[in-house]
Structure formats: structure tokens, C-alpha cells
Amino acid sequence: MVDVTIPEEFLDDDSEGSISPWFFAEGDLVQRGDLIAEVTNEKAASELIAPASGTLKIVISAEIPVRRGQLVARIAD
């Protein structure tokens, strides 16, 4: 299982963002390199890319506040 986290470069230390939207649903098969979501904050939108191939398990729903380094999904073989 591979963790999907918010990359450090997406957000400042003290800022929050949100996933808006997830482009795949819970249980969908994703391929490494797929655009799986956008992470937005007041300054920009960043693309969240699948780090591995497998079945997507969403941990944080869209529109819930997230911070850098936070676990938002897992990808299972």
C-alpha cells in the first residue's frame, strides 16, 4: 500500500488547502502518473498525481481542510 500525502511544496507551513475535486472515486483503479485530484488554496491550484498504480482508497473527502504532509489517500496493489 502506498500513501498519498499533500506534497510539501503545495502549501506553506501555516496554510491550509482542500481537495477540489477528486477525479477518481473510492475503489477506482488508478495508474501511476494519473491526475487524481487538485489541491487548492487561496493562492493556487496544484495537481495531485498518483505515485503508484492500484486501487484508490480516499482518506480525506473533497472540501475538507488539509495541510502539507497530510495523508489524503492510499493506493493498494
Side-chain angles (χ1 to χ4, degrees):
M1 187 165 298
V2 176
D3 289 345
V4 180
T5 60
I6 301 297
E8 300 277 322
E9 63 271 13
F10 280 18
L11 300 169
D12 296 330
D13 283 337
D14 59 344
S15 68
E16 289 184 338
S18 64
I19 295 173
S20 176
W22 282 102
F23 296 124
F24 289 86
E26 175 86 17
D28 282 354
L29 292 175
V30 298
Q31 298 297 315
R32 182 175 189 215
D34 281 350
L35 173 60
I36 57 174
E38 265 187 358
V39 178
T40 59
N41 65 14
E42 58 198 33
K43 297 178 185 175
S46 302
E47 296 179 339
L48 189 60
I49 305 298
S53 298
T55 303
L56 182 66
K57 165 73 174 134
I58 295 173
V59 175
I60 300 290
S61 300
E63 307 304 327
I64 301 295
V66 294
R67 294 192 171 272
R68 61 193 260 181
Q70 184 172 354
L71 175 70
V72 294
R74 290 193 165 105
I75 299 175
D77 294 336

